[in-house]
Amino acid sequence: MAVPKRRVSHTRAAKRRTHYKIALSAPVKCKKCGAYKLPHHLCPSCELKKS
Ligand SMILES: [Zn+2]
């Protein structure tokens, strides 16, 4: 197995990790209408019914 020649500095590692993003979390069901929505977000279908 290959072994890294040099230690990656904190700055260099941090720069590489700027491309990392949090994966989209699983959708949850809306309590009112049962439609899938993002957790801690306003339900789009409920919001449509309001107006
Ligand atoms: Zn809803």
Side-chain angles (χ1 to χ4, degrees), residues 2 5-9 12-14 18-19 22 26 29-31 33 39-41 43 47-48:
K5 199 165 192 175
R6 288 187 185 281
R7 177 191 126 81
V8 178
S9 71
R12 199 175 175 86
T18 59
H19 300 282
I22 302 161
K29 269 190 176 179
C30 175
K31 279 178 189 174
C33 66
H40 308 287
H41 278 251
C43 174
E47 194 58 22
L48 280 171

Side-chain angles (χ1 to χ4, degrees), residues 6-51:
R6 288 187 185 281
R7 177 191 126 81
V8 178
S9 71
H10 176 262
T11 307
R12 199 175 175 86
K15 276 178 181 173
R16 185 173 61 237
R17 285 176 199 140
T18 59
H19 300 282
Y20 291 11
K21 285 197 181 84
I22 302 161
L24 203 67
S25 51
V28 292
K29 269 190 176 179
C30 175
K31 279 178 189 174
K32 287 179 200 167
C33 66
Y36 283 105
K37 68 169 189 76
L38 289 171
H40 308 287
H41 278 251
L42 206 72
C43 174
S45 56
C46 280
E47 194 58 22
L48 280 171
K49 280 171 200 168
K50 263 191 212 171
S51 54

